[in-house]
Amino acid sequence: MKFETITIKDIAKALGLSTSTVSRALRGGYEISEETKKIVLDYAAKINYKPNPIALSLKERRSHSIGIVVCEIANNFFSQAINGIESIAYSAGYNVIITQSNESYEREIVNVQHLASRSVDGLLISLSSETADVSLLKSLNSKGLPIVFFDRVSEEIQTHKVIANNFKGGFDATDYLISLGKKRIAHITNAAHLSITKERFEGYKSALESHGLPFDERYVKYCEYAGELQNEVEHAVSDLLSLPDRPDAIFIAQDKLSTGCLLALKKLAPDFGETIKIAGFTNSNVVDLFSPSLTAVRQPAFEIGQAATELLIKLIESKHPVTEYETKMLDTELVLR
């Protein structure tokens, strides 16, 4: 059975009025008498009439909605960021449409095209691990669709961006492991081309250099699917375990990779896993339950979501073309375990 919505025509027919009179009354038009307005509004409230958002968007050329594309909603960082996004969007009168790419470039393209076809007023996006080509986003942005990047950003598009201080997070985590006396620190990270991968890697290298420790590329393992495939993480951990000089600590650059690495260690080398020191990016609320323990680099995910949404709404509601953009960087926090 098809769901039938109540329309202005239905109200007009029930009250014996013209559709234009009902429409003006609902809008509070000055040319309609107060008595007629009251009759129409009372009846609309009685039948729980709601304006058709699609019809309104066609008329106003605005949908009052924001599209969101993230890698995975279940990821602690992104679920917290979405909470931040919604806290700003709803209070400003915008609905949100949330999609996830599951680290797939093709899925990301489908999501972006769908959101654009739904005439969202703007787009918030964190790129998938497969995304190296942003030509579709470039095209939509050049045609007037406001876009703001957060977390995983592209330097190819001039717009607002909101990120964590990934260099600091990488430096602090590695520096802490060194302070424990560790000298062979491995690094498990995302796809090499991602902005967060480069920034966290530079923090890792800088910490090694600041303590006079050599950088050894054998200890760096890239996971192209960012933890979506557990066998990829297990392969990375297995490679590290097979080195003649096993690492005595690991810095992990992403939430899902952190939990995936812990699982891989339990499976492949449970005794070794209990002794190795690990620090990694994670926004999990149950990090105290992890074994082996994990020193966490936390990102201010909620605040990142809020800041990105505020910047997007400014773009949407700007009366003049915006030509100056900013990159907001929020500090990470090292939570010792």
Side-chain angles (χ1 to χ4, degrees), residues 164-224:
N165 191 336
N166 293 301
F167 178 91
K168 179 180 183 295
F171 184 96
D172 289 349
T174 309
D175 182 69
Y176 171 70
L177 293 172
I178 295 171
S179 75
L180 298 178
K182 305 305 175 182
K183 299 185 183 300
R184 299 185 306 279
I185 301 171
H187 181 35
I188 298 178
T189 188
N190 295 295
H193 66 271
L194 289 175
S195 58
I196 58 172
T197 301
K198 297 173 184 177
E199 292 159 5
R200 294 169 189 178
F201 174 68
E202 287 303 318
Y204 161 75
K205 282 183 65 178
S206 180
L208 294 177
E209 183 180 346
S210 70
H211 288 275
L213 294 176
F215 167 70
D216 188 338
E217 63 182 16
R218 296 177 305 156
Y219 288 119
V220 179
K221 300 298 175 185
Y222 295 97
C223 293
E224 296 297 319

Side-chain angles (χ1 to χ4, degrees), residues 23-42:
S23 177
R24 292 190 184 100
L26 290 170
R27 294 200 314 270
Y30 67 89
E31 67 272 42
I32 304 300
S33 70
E34 294 301 319
E35 181 183 358
T36 301
K37 284 182 192 176
K38 186 176 187 310
I39 291 170
V40 172
L41 293 172
D42 286 349

Side-chain angles (χ1 to χ4, degrees), residues 3 13 70 73 82 90 200 222 262 292 296 309 312 316 326:
F3 175 69
K13 184 177 180 181
V70 297
I73 296 170
I82 288 169
Y90 288 130
R200 294 169 189 178
Y222 295 97
L262 297 182
T309 309
L312 181 62
I316 293 169
E326 62 178 303

Side-chain angles (χ1 to χ4, degrees), residues 67-69 97 99 110-120 123:
I68 304 172
V69 184
I97 305 173
T99 65
V110 169
N111 289 339
V112 170
Q113 289 175 328
H114 173 71
L115 292 168
S117 71
R118 293 286 299 270
S119 299
V120 294
L123 187 67

